[in-house]
Amino acid sequence: MSSMGNFFSSDGLPPRLNGIKEDTFVFFTISERWPKTIVKIVDHFHCKRRDLMEQYGPGADADVKAVIAELSEMRYRIATDKELENISDTSYSYEMWNKLLAQMREKEGENGVTWFKIDWLFAECYMYRRIVGTTAKTKHLKSFDFFQEQKIEGFTSHLEQIRDGIKYIFAVAQNLTVQQEKETLEVLLKVTVLQRNFGTCVRKCVGEIC
């Protein structure tokens, strides 16, 4: 699969990124960060198993086991660069996802639509859609959010930065031209991406040192 161009059009966008080449951020993301994310979710379900049974009844135990099994299978498929499978639940946008996957297979071939070969951003979005789908197929855990605690902790521990960001937006939002609004939005998006990438790189370096 070529790493150049845009999948849907040749509109001059930068080269697409995938995980084929080792020693790159994308390769590290796919081979290290995604599996660890899934492991954390699996551990979360293990820890919350009894609480979920108390909240939803004994039937939730079978749901927890099914979710853990599917997540473990997905982690294995990522690590071994298997083909991306169709979305098997009927939750939101599943038809759109499966249509896109079919288009990709037609263009790239079955062996070209794998975790490391396909565009990494698409694969990451697909991974989280699959994670949501694991609970969507259950009887008792359809609305369960395994990232809830992480979201709350992230919000409460960054209130100062959030306030600074809001103040900045209000300060620059007045009397801006359309072009200036676009440039301001670009700055904010870059800050978000750089913060995420920096944090990932720091964690990687610390892990290598330790």
Side-chain angles (χ1 to χ4, degrees), residues 168 172 176 179-191:
Y168 172 77
V172 302
L176 290 181
Q179 181 60 32
Q180 289 172 328
E181 289 178 350
K182 291 181 179 179
E183 292 173 354
T184 301
L185 176 60
E186 183 177 352
V187 169
L188 294 173
L189 290 174
K190 285 181 178 179
V191 168

Side-chain angles (χ1 to χ4, degrees), residues 73-91:
E73 172 68 14
M74 183 164 62
R75 179 173 175 266
Y76 164 78
R77 294 186 67 85
I78 292 174
T80 54
D81 194 26
K82 293 291 190 293
E83 295 84 1
L84 272 61
E85 300 175 299
N86 277 356
I87 302 295
S88 58
D89 62 83
T90 56
S91 186

